[in-house]
Amino acid sequence: MKESLKSLALALLVLTSIVQTGMLWYSSPSNQGNLPKLQHIPTIGHKDFQKEEIHQLAAPSEIMLHHDGEHRRILPGADHQTLIDRLHHARLENPQTIDPSPAEWKKWLDDETGLELRFRHELPVEVIQAFFQGETEIPELDTVHRIWISGEGDNNQVTVWLISDQTQTVVEGTALLQNYDEMLKLADQAAERPLKAFLNGKEGNFDEEDLKREGAVPRFVYLPPNRAAINRWSYNLEQKRQINVEDMKMILFRNPNNVEKTAISNHIDIYTDVDSSRSLRYNEQNNTMVYTNLLNDTEQELPDPREKLNTIISFMNRHSGWTGNYLLNRVETNQDNGASDFFFQLHVKGLPLYGSEPFPKWEEIRLSAQQGITHYERSLIFFSSRSGQKHPDHLPSGNEVREALKKQNADLSDVRQIYPGYHAVTRENKLELEPVWVVDFYNGKQGFLSVSQTGRDVEWTGAKLKPS
Amino acid sequence: MRWLRVFNSVQWKVVVIYVLLLLIAMQLIGVYFFQKLEDHFYYTFRDDLKSQAGILQEVVKDQMTPGTESDEQKKRIDDILNKLPLDKSNDVQIVDQEGVVIATTSGEKSSEGVKNPRVDRVLQGYEDSTTEVNYQAGNRYMLYSYPIKNDGRITGAVYIEAPMQGMYSTIKSINKILIKITAIAMAGTSFLGIILARTITNPIKEITEQATIMAEGDFDRKVTVKNDDEIGKLASAFNHLAQHLRNALSQKEEEKGRLQSVLANMSDGVIATDRKGKVIVSNRRAEEMLGKKVQHRKDINQILPLTNPILLPLTEEREIFLELDREEEDFTIIKLNFTPVLRASREAIGLILVLQDVTEEEKLDRQRKEFVANVSHELRTPLTTIKSYLEALDEGGALEEPELASRFLGVTRQEAERMTRLINDLLQLSRLDSKKVRFHKQPLKPIEVLEAAADRFRFQCQQKNIDFHLSLKEDLPRIYAARDQIDQVLDNLLSNAVKYTPEGHSVSLSARQKADGFVEVAISDTGIGIPQKDLERIFERFYRVDKARSRSMGGTGLGLAIAREIVQAHGGTIRMESRYREGTTVRITLPPCEPEVTSS
Ligand SMILES: Nc1ncnc2c1ncn2[C@@H]1O[C@H](COP(=O)(O)OP(=O)(O)O)[C@@H](O)[C@H]1O
Ligand SMILES: [Mg+2]
C-alpha cells in the first residue's frame, strides 16, 4: 500500500512537472487587464466656438467705428471676426511713442475715420502683438487697452495707435491693410446705431480744455441717445447641459485609469493622479471644477504670453472646451505663484454675460499655462445657444443711465467704461438673460443697469457705489 | 493499483527511471534554454525598437513644443513619419506631453488625438523607457515607449506597438524541434533501458527460478555464469551456495541417520520434549520400557505414570525411579533421568529424559539383602538354641542330671555342627563367588565317582527304607573335573533326594552320555516334590520350599546353590524337574574329558 502510494505520488509529481513545463512554454503575459487602453478624448462643446489663433480668442468685446463724428459699436459676431482677421494680415511698422495733443484727440473724435478696438482690460503687449504679423518690437508699452486704426486708406496705409489707458501712453505705428476701404464698408454694415460720446459726464462738443483736464489719454464713454432695442433671451433650465466630471477626468489626466478619487466633503471630490502633480477638484453642489497641474507650474522661465495662449488654444480645442463664445477678458498675475491667469468671458449673442447667481462661474473660464496647462477653472454647466427664446427688450438711454447713476450718488466721471451685456437671473424655472448696461467704476466696482420689467424705470443691480 | 503491478518489475522500473531522468533533464534544459532564448529574442527585439525610437526621437524632437501642438506641427511630424523607412508592421505613435497621440504610422488616423495612457510613466520621467507585452486577438505585441526630450525636458514620447508573432513562431519552431528530439531520445532511451534491464533481470530471473526449484529440494541445479560482473558473481555465489547446501544437507542427513540408529539401538530409552513438555523425540526402547506407544506432541506427564507430575520447565537434573507392575511377581523398575536443555541464558528450552531398566540390579540388590537377612537368620537360629540350652543347663541344675545334661549338650553340639556346616557352606559359596577356589581338575571316571557316592548313601537309604537304584552306562566317557567338588555336588543332591523322600519310596542315580558328548547325571526320587512356583527360585541361596522341614532335617538351604556354582564352574549345567507330591529329578551335565572321542 505504502509502495503504491509512493508510486502514485511520483506519478503525480512527474505529471505536474510536465504540465508546469508546458504551461511555462506556452504561457503568455496576461497583463492585458492591467494595460491601460487608448482613450478617446471626449469633446464637450461645439466646434463652432473653437478659436484657432490668439487674435481670435483675444478679440475685443467691441470695435468702435468712428466716422465723421459718428460712433458706432460693432459687437462680436461674424463681421467682427472678419475685421479682426483682416487686421491680422497687417504688419506693424515703425512703432514709436507719441504724445498726442488735445487738439489731435479732438480731431480724432470728431473728424477721423477709423476702427477702435476696445478691450475690456489692459492686455499684455505681446498679446496685442499677436494681432499683427511679425514680431515687431513695441517700445515703452507693457499693456494695451485700445487699438486705434485710422487713415484715409491711401495705398492701404493706415496709422495704428496702441493706447494704454493705465500708463497714459500712446505708441504710433503704420500698417498696410489690404482693401482697407472694403474693411470700412464691412464695418459700416456691421455697426449698430450711432452712440453719443461722453467725457467726464459731459455730452459731446468737447473743447480742448475738457480734453486737457482728462490727461494725456482721454477716455470716452459711448451711450445711445435713446433706448436701444435689444433682445432678451430666456432658456429653459431643463435644457442646461452638464459636463460629466468623468469626461473631465479623461481629458485632464494622462492616465485616467490611475486617478484616485477622494471625497473631502459631502459635495467636494478631489481626483489626483498617482504622482499627485495633477489634481481636479470637483464641487458637486456648484457644478464647478478646478484643475491644477503643479508639475507644469514649476518652470523657471516664464514663456511669452503668446505661447501660453497658444497652449491654451490647443488645450481647449483638443477637448472642445469652449462651450460658448469665450473671449479673453483679462490677464491677471496670480498673487500666489506669479503666474498669469487668463480669464475668458462667455459672450452670448455678442454680449458678455454677467451674474453667476444661478450657476457659479459659468460666465467665466480661468486658465493658466506654463509648459502646459497649470490651472483650469470653470463651471460644468452650459447652455446650447440655439435653445434660447428671444423677447424684444431695451437698454436704457444715455439720459436714463445718467439719471440712474445720479441715484447711486455717482456720475459718468466715476465710470471707467459702460458697455452692453447680459445679466443672468433665474425666473420661474427659466434662465433669463436680461440686457444691461455694465458699468465699471474706477474703484473696480461694477453695476448693471436695465429697463425694469414694467418698461418704465431703470433698474440698478450690482454694487452699491459709495459716493466719492 | 493493478496497472501499477505491471511496473513492479526491475525492467520496467529501470525503463521508467531512465525515461524520467531524461524527461527531467530535458525539462530543465528546455526550460532554461527557452527562457534564455526567449530573453535573447525579447531583448534583441526590444533593442531594435529602442534604436528605432531613438532615431525617431532625434528627428521629431525639434518639432515638439512643450505643451500642446498646433496642427502645423502635427502635419510636419506626420510627414517625418511617412518619410522615414519604418517597419510597416509596427504601429508607431508620436505622443505629446499630455499623452495624446499626435501622429501615427497606422493607416487610419483614428488613433490621432486619442489619449495613450501607456506612455504615462515615460512622460512623467519615471522611466527611460517602458516595455510591456500585450496579448490580444491571439497575438503578442510589444509595447515600447520612449521619451522625446528637448533640452532635457520631456516633451512627448515615441510609442511603438510591434507584433511579436514572428519572434514567437521562431521560438515555437525551435521548441518543436526540441520536443521532437526529446521524444526520439525518450524512445531510444526506453529501448536501451529495456535491453539494459534485460541483461540484468534475465540472469536474476534464472537465479530466481533455480532458487524456487532449490526450495523444493532439488540441489543439483546450476546457474550458468555468463560473465564476471556483479551478476556473474551472484550466479557463481549462488552455485557455491547450492553446493554447500547440498553438502551440508547430506551431512545432516547422515548425522540424523546416525543419531536415529543410536537412538534406536540404545539400551536406554530416550524421550526429548520441548519446554512445555511436549514430546518431540523418542526411541523404540523407551516405548518398550514403558510398554506403550509414545506419541509425539503428547504431554510427558501423560506418558509417564507418575504419582507426582514433574513441574515444567525443569531447571535441574532429577532422578526418579518408576516401578511398573505388569504382572504379578514380574516387575520392572525404570530409572528416569531428567536433564534440562538449557540455553546460554540458563533458560530451559526443553528436557531430555533417559529411561534405564534397572530391574536386574534391583533384583540383585534385593537378593543380596535377602541373603544377608537369611544368613543372619540362619546363624541366629542355632545360636539361640545353643544359648537357651546352655542357660537351661546353667540354671535348671540339669548338670545334676547327667542324662538330661548330655541330651542338652547333644542338642547344643548338634546346633553348633549345624552352624559350622552353615558357615562352611557360606565360606565355600563365597569362595566360589570370588573364584578363589582352585579346582584340582583331573579326568575322572564317572562310574567310580558315582558308585562311591552311591555307596555313601546306600546305608542311609536302607535305614530309611528307601529303595535305591543305581543305573550307569558302561561306556561313559571320562569327565574332566575336580573329585572333591563333584563329590560334594553329588552328596548334596543325593542327600536332598533322601531327605525329601518319605520311607518306602525310591531314589535313583543314573548317568548317560548325551548327544553333544556331555555326561548327564540324573538323581531322581519319588519324594514330596516341589511346587511349580518354587521351582524357578529353588537354586537361590537359602531358598527352601518348607523352611521348617528343611531345618529340622539339618538343611542349610545352600546345597543346591553350591551345587549349581560348582557345576557351572565346570562348564556344565544343572536342571531340576519336579512334580509336587510325585517326585523330583535333578539333572547335571558335565563336560567330557576328551571331546574328540565323544564324537561317536
Ligand atoms: N529331592 C528333593 N525332593 C524334594 N525336595 C527337594 C529335593 N531336593 C531339594 N529339595 C528342596 O530344595 C531345598 C533346597 O535344598 P538344599 O539346597 O539341598 O538345602 P537343604 O537340603 O539343606 O534344605 C530343600 O529345602 C527342599 O525343599
Ligand atoms: Mg541339601
Side-chain angles (χ1 to χ4, degrees):
Chain A
M1 194 60 211
K2 215 174 171 185
E3 278 297 314
S4 59
L5 269 179
K6 269 195 244 169
S7 310
L8 208 72
L10 187 74
L12 270 175
L13 270 177
V14 169
L15 216 72
T16 48
S17 91
I18 291 170
V19 168
Q20 278 187 336
T21 308
M23 269 161 58
L24 201 71
W25 275 357
Y26 288 98
S27 70
S28 53
S30 55
N31 53 358
Q32 193 178 359
N34 303 337
L35 203 65
K37 292 205 173 73
L38 296 186
Q39 307 278 0
H40 279 276
I41 299 171
T43 53
I44 53 179
H46 197 272
K47 285 256 191 255
D48 288 353
F49 301 118
Q50 285 199 7
K51 306 284 192 292
E52 298 302 331
E53 291 187 72
I54 295 171
H55 67 273
Q56 293 170 347
L57 185 61
S61 289
E62 58 180 349
I63 300 174
M64 203 65 82
L65 173 65
H66 301 277
H67 180 59
D68 292 340
E70 263 188 3
H71 319 290
R72 292 159 69 196
R73 185 176 273 135
I74 303 166
L75 291 174
D79 295 335
H80 178 275
Q81 176 137 8
T82 314
L83 289 173
I84 301 285
D85 284 343
R86 286 279 184 88
L87 181 62
H88 183 64
H89 290 297
R91 178 183 292 270
L92 185 67
E93 274 159 25
N94 302 320
Q96 51 194 331
T97 323
I98 56 160
D99 198 4
S101 66
E104 279 176 287
W105 281 117
K106 191 169 164 51
K107 186 175 165 241
W108 175 78
L109 188 70
D110 293 342
D111 302 329
E112 288 200 49
T113 301
L115 297 166
E116 187 192 10
L117 278 62
R118 291 166 65 89
F119 299 100
R120 288 281 171 257
H121 293 87
E122 301 258 339
L123 293 181
V125 73
E126 293 91 347
V127 178
I128 300 304
Q129 274 178 313
F131 279 80
F132 301 95
Q133 288 293 306
E135 293 278 320
T136 316
E137 202 57 37
I138 297 167
E140 287 190 43
L141 266 182
D142 288 333
T143 55
V144 174
H145 204 165
R146 286 181 280 158
I147 301 172
W148 166 236
I149 296 156
S150 65
E152 295 309 315
D154 308 330
N155 305 321
N156 296 327
Q157 176 97 20
V158 292
T159 306
V160 178
W161 281 11
L162 305 178
I163 305 160
S164 167
D165 287 331
Q166 205 176 327
T167 59
Q168 303 270 292
T169 318
V170 180
V171 168
E172 189 187 65
T174 57
L176 271 177
L177 273 176
Q178 294 293 318
N179 303 323
Y180 179 59
D181 291 343
E182 270 179 43
M183 264 180 80
L184 287 179
K185 260 181 219 161
L186 183 69
D188 191 48
Q189 283 167 19
E192 293 174 356
R193 278 195 271 161
L195 303 168
K196 273 185 181 170
F198 291 84
L199 185 71
N200 284 329
K202 197 180 171 193
E203 186 189 335
N205 299 322
F206 316 112
D207 52 24
E208 283 183 32
E209 282 303 304
D210 294 329
L211 290 164
K212 201 175 274 172
R213 214 184 308 134
E214 182 64 11
V217 179
R219 198 180 301 193
F220 302 97
V221 172
Y222 304 95
L223 287 169
N226 304 308
R227 284 188 175 184
I230 194 163
N231 288 322
R232 181 164 51 88
W233 294 88
S234 66
Y235 294 87
N236 203 326
L237 272 182
E238 279 147 24
Q239 280 175 326
K240 74 166 194 265
R241 305 260 295 268
Q242 165 97 43
I243 300 167
N244 192 347
V245 73
E246 287 299 316
D247 284 352
M248 269 301 168
K249 201 178 88 182
M250 221 61 113
I251 289 159
L252 296 170
F253 292 98
R254 270 193 204 139
N255 188 353
N257 307 319
N258 251 358
V259 172
E260 270 177 35
K261 178 181 172 180
T262 323
I264 59 166
S265 77
N266 273 348
H267 51 268
I268 296 177
D269 296 331
I270 287 197
Y271 295 84
T272 46
D273 69 358
V274 168
D275 60 0
S276 288
S277 76
R278 294 174 187 222
S279 68
L280 170 65
R281 194 167 76 241
Y282 168 55
N283 188 323
E284 206 181 331
Q285 200 174 41
N286 292 346
N287 267 308
T288 57
M289 56 151 264
V290 179
Y291 160 79
T292 51
N293 184 353
L294 298 172
L295 208 69
N296 284 345
D297 219 8
T298 55
E299 285 308 316
Q300 300 291 324
E301 172 201 359
L302 290 167
D304 193 291
R306 281 174 292 185
E307 280 177 36
K308 295 182 183 179
L309 275 172
N310 274 328
T311 303
I312 286 169
I313 288 167
S314 302
F315 169 74
M316 291 303 276
N317 286 353
R318 190 167 272 167
H319 69 279
S320 297
W322 304 121
T323 47
N325 187 23
Y326 282 88
L327 295 174
L328 179 65
N329 178 257
R330 65 189 186 278
V331 181
E332 283 177 9
T333 304
N334 194 309
Q335 301 295 325
D336 298 332
N337 53 12
S340 308
D341 288 336
F342 294 82
F343 293 87
F344 299 90
Q345 190 156 32
L346 178 60
H347 287 67
V348 181
K349 310 294 174 191
L351 294 183
L353 191 75
Y354 289 92
S356 55
E357 168 247 320
F359 308 113
K361 286 182 186 171
W362 80 301
E363 82 284 10
E364 194 171 60
I365 291 175
R366 179 181 155 192
L367 282 156
S368 331
Q370 296 280 21
Q371 296 300 338
I373 296 299
T374 57
H375 193 96
Y376 182 20
E377 187 175 340
R378 66 172 296 160
S379 168
L380 295 174
I381 298 290
F382 69 98
F383 285 87
S384 167
S385 57
R386 267 166 220 166
S387 58
Q389 289 171 304
K390 64 177 175 187
H391 314 279
D393 205 342
H394 290 88
L395 278 171
S397 68
N399 282 332
E400 281 172 325
V401 171
R402 286 163 76 185
E403 288 298 314
L405 284 173
K406 252 180 216 159
K407 278 184 190 164
Q408 300 293 321
N409 293 325
D411 62 25
L412 281 172
S413 62
D414 296 318
V415 171
R416 195 167 61 91
Q417 55 187 351
I418 292 184
Y419 49 90
Y422 279 121
H423 190 242
V425 283
T426 41
R427 262 188 218 122
E428 295 165 4
N429 212 22
K430 283 199 168 163
L431 177 76
E432 295 268 347
L433 300 186
E434 281 181 353
V436 289
W437 288 112
V438 182
V439 184
D440 287 349
F441 294 100
Y442 278 112
N443 64 4
K445 301 209 169 172
Q446 196 173 47
F448 307 104
L449 275 173
S450 60
V451 176
S452 68
Q453 276 185 313
T454 56
R456 250 174 258 156
D457 299 321
V458 172
E459 230 172 43
W460 172 264
T461 44
K464 292 279 176 233
L465 194 72
K466 180 201 156 278
S468 53
Chain B
M1 293 301 123
R2 189 161 286 274
W3 61 274
L4 274 176
R5 239 167 259 165
V6 176
F7 296 99
N8 209 359
S9 73
V10 172
Q11 188 170 320
W12 274 106
K13 277 177 186 165
V14 167
V15 171
V16 167
I17 285 166
Y18 261 69
V19 169
L20 284 184
L21 278 178
L22 189 83
L23 197 71
I24 287 163
M26 290 311 277
Q27 273 181 16
L28 286 177
I29 292 167
V31 168
Y32 182 76
F33 175 73
F34 277 104
Q35 224 139 43
K36 285 280 156 196
L37 194 73
E38 201 176 327
D39 283 358
H40 173 75
F41 273 106
Y42 182 87
Y43 289 120
T44 313
F45 197 83
R46 204 190 59 182
D47 290 347
D48 191 39
L49 291 186
K50 189 177 182 176
S51 66
Q52 271 190 44
I55 293 165
L56 261 173
Q57 192 264 150
E58 281 300 320
V59 182
V60 164
K61 72 175 181 190
D62 294 331
Q63 309 299 331
M64 302 289 289
T65 46
T68 37
E69 277 68 32
S70 62
D71 286 345
E72 232 173 288
Q73 281 170 319
K74 282 185 192 172
K75 231 167 260 166
R76 279 204 293 273
I77 293 166
D78 254 350
D79 279 352
I80 291 167
L81 282 189
N82 287 336
K83 276 175 202 157
L84 278 177
L86 296 166
D87 190 344
K88 291 291 174 236
S89 58
N90 295 354
D91 180 12
V92 180
Q93 295 178 357
I94 306 295
V95 179
D96 76 357
Q97 209 185 8
E98 284 299 304
V100 176
V101 178
I102 55 174
T104 170
T105 57
S106 71
E108 73 265 37
K109 294 282 174 187
S110 65
S111 54
E112 272 180 26
V114 161
K115 195 164 275 197
N116 186 350
R118 293 168 193 171
V119 298
D120 186 38
R121 294 191 69 75
V122 164
L123 285 177
Q124 282 178 18
Y126 284 148
E127 281 152 44
D128 277 352
S129 62
T130 58
T131 349
E132 276 174 294
V133 173
N134 188 24
Y135 195 79
Q136 46 174 276
N139 287 326
R140 264 186 258 199
Y141 291 89
M142 186 179 278
L143 315 180
Y144 186 78
S145 315
Y146 190 84
I148 298 174
K149 285 184 180 171
N150 207 345
D151 295 336
R153 297 170 18 73
I154 296 167
T155 54
V158 177
Y159 172 80
I160 305 177
E161 205 170 294
M164 297 173 89
Q165 68 258 53
M167 168 191 148
Y168 278 105
S169 58
T170 312
I171 291 177
K172 216 168 244 181
S173 62
I174 296 171
N175 195 347
K176 269 179 195 157
I177 292 168
L178 192 90
I179 288 172
K180 267 181 210 159
I181 290 170
T182 308
I184 292 166
M186 259 159 57
T189 309
S190 312
F191 182 69
L192 285 176
I194 290 169
I195 289 174
L196 181 88
R198 272 174 172 280
T199 58
I200 295 167
T201 52
N202 279 2
I204 292 174
K205 262 188 201 162
E206 199 190 333
I207 291 170
T208 313
E209 270 169 34
Q210 301 300 358
T212 317
I213 294 167
M214 237 165 79
E216 281 157 15
D218 186 354
F219 290 94
D220 294 332
R221 293 306 192 99
K222 264 204 156 189
V223 178
T224 45
V225 179
K226 281 172 186 157
N227 46 30
D228 199 26
D229 61 5
E230 286 87 342
I231 291 166
K233 276 178 188 153
L234 174 65
S236 51
F238 181 83
N239 287 342
H240 193 66
L241 174 74
Q243 174 74 39
H244 264 261
L245 272 175
R246 200 154 53 222
N247 291 349
L249 230 80
S250 59
Q251 241 169 32
K252 204 188 147 202
E253 283 297 319
E254 265 171 45
E255 230 154 74
K256 196 178 161 191
R258 227 177 288 154
L259 201 71
Q260 214 104 57
S261 62
V262 166
L263 268 179
N265 297 316
M266 260 172 81
S267 54
D268 292 343
V270 174
I271 293 172
T273 72
D274 60 12
R275 59 191 299 274
K276 284 179 184 162
K278 302 273 187 265
V279 175
I280 48 177
V281 171
S282 67
N283 62 356
R284 196 151 34 89
R285 182 79 184 107
E287 290 180 357
E288 279 172 12
M289 282 174 154
L290 295 170
K292 56 178 167 184
K293 263 204 108 43
V294 176
Q295 279 169 339
H296 277 217
R297 317 291 324 149
K298 212 172 167 192
D299 198 327
I300 188 77
N301 280 322
Q302 289 179 348
I303 290 163
L304 300 175
L306 294 173
T307 37
N308 298 322
I310 37 169
L311 290 171
L312 292 165
L314 197 72
T315 48
E316 281 176 344
E317 272 191 41
R318 258 180 85 183
E319 221 177 66
I320 296 175
F321 287 90
L322 180 67
E323 193 170 338
L324 295 172
D325 293 305
R326 268 181 239 163
E327 291 147 36
E328 271 177 66
E329 297 288 311
D330 186 14
F331 60 91
T332 314
I333 293 171
I334 299 168
K335 190 167 97 181
L336 304 174
N337 210 328
F338 294 92
T339 310
V341 183
L342 297 174
R343 266 204 198 134
S345 57
R346 309 279 314 149
E347 183 199 354
I349 53 167
L351 66 88
I352 288 173
L353 168 62
V354 179
L355 300 96
Q356 272 176 313
D357 194 342
V358 290
T359 316
E360 285 307 312
E361 285 131 68
E362 196 63 17
K363 273 183 184 164
L364 274 174
D365 199 42
R366 284 187 195 183
Q367 278 173 8
R368 190 175 47 82
K369 284 175 187 157
E370 206 174 335
F371 177 73
V372 172
N374 281 339
V375 168
S376 33
H377 181 74
E378 292 301 330
L379 284 173
R380 200 179 60 210
T381 313
L383 272 175
T384 314
T385 313
I386 291 169
K387 199 182 163 192
S388 57
Y389 273 87
L390 287 176
E391 279 169 0
L393 270 177
D394 198 21
E395 287 168 17
L399 288 172
E400 269 118 75
E401 290 172 52
E403 228 173 280
L404 191 67
S406 73
R407 218 185 70 187
F408 275 26
L409 284 175
V411 170
T412 310
R413 197 176 57 234
Q414 202 181 324
E415 284 302 314
E417 274 168 13
R418 211 159 74 100
M419 253 174 73
T420 310
R421 234 181 11 251
L422 184 66
I423 286 166
N424 280 338
D425 281 358
L426 280 172
L427 278 173
Q428 197 178 0
L429 257 179
S430 94
R431 260 188 261 119
L432 283 168
D433 279 344
S434 59
K435 313 279 191 236
K436 277 179 182 165
V437 187
R438 295 220 125 262
F439 292 108
H440 298 289
K441 283 186 186 168
Q442 55 192 29
L444 295 174
K445 282 188 178 167
I447 293 175
E448 280 178 22
V449 177
L450 291 173
E451 277 180 346
D455 287 342
R456 285 198 293 277
F457 282 90
R458 212 161 260 134
F459 178 67
Q460 267 187 42
C461 289
Q462 279 172 8
Q463 269 191 329
K464 242 189 132 179
N465 196 21
I466 287 171
D467 201 8
F468 186 80
H469 298 283
L470 178 65
S471 58
L472 299 170
K473 294 272 166 67
E474 286 299 320
D475 52 350
L476 281 174
R478 285 198 294 184
I479 53 167
Y480 187 71
R483 177 69 194 252
D484 290 347
Q485 272 74 27
I486 293 299
D487 278 349
Q488 197 181 352
V489 170
L490 290 174
D491 284 355
N492 277 350
L493 295 177
L494 280 171
S495 70
N496 277 354
V498 173
K499 225 190 285 182
Y500 302 112
T501 303
E503 288 181 14
H505 287 266
S506 67
V507 171
S508 71
L509 174 64
S510 62
R512 67 178 185 106
Q513 189 177 21
K514 278 175 71 185
D516 56 3
F518 274 60
V519 176
E520 188 190 77
V521 178
I523 299 109
S524 53
D525 61 73
T526 56
I528 57 170
I530 303 163
Q532 191 62 38
K533 68 176 177 65
D534 295 320
L535 207 55
E536 264 177 51
R537 301 185 58 192
I538 208 72
F539 288 101
E540 284 177 21
R541 291 165 196 193
F542 298 110
Y543 193 87
R544 282 162 288 194
V545 176
D546 187 346
K547 280 197 173 130
R549 178 188 287 201
S550 163
R551 197 170 289 126
S552 67
M553 287 178 182
T556 59
L558 291 171
L560 278 177
I562 290 168
R564 190 178 63 173
E565 291 297 327
I566 291 169
V567 170
Q568 282 175 349
H570 277 81
T573 60
I574 184 162
R575 226 157 11 100
M576 180 166 277
E577 294 157 15
S578 179
R579 278 177 171 248
Y580 189 55
R581 294 177 204 272
E582 283 180 20
T584 309
T585 304
V586 181
R587 297 177 200 276
I588 57 169
T589 58
L590 289 166
C593 192
E594 295 125 357
E596 67 280 351
V597 183
T598 59
S599 63
S600 60

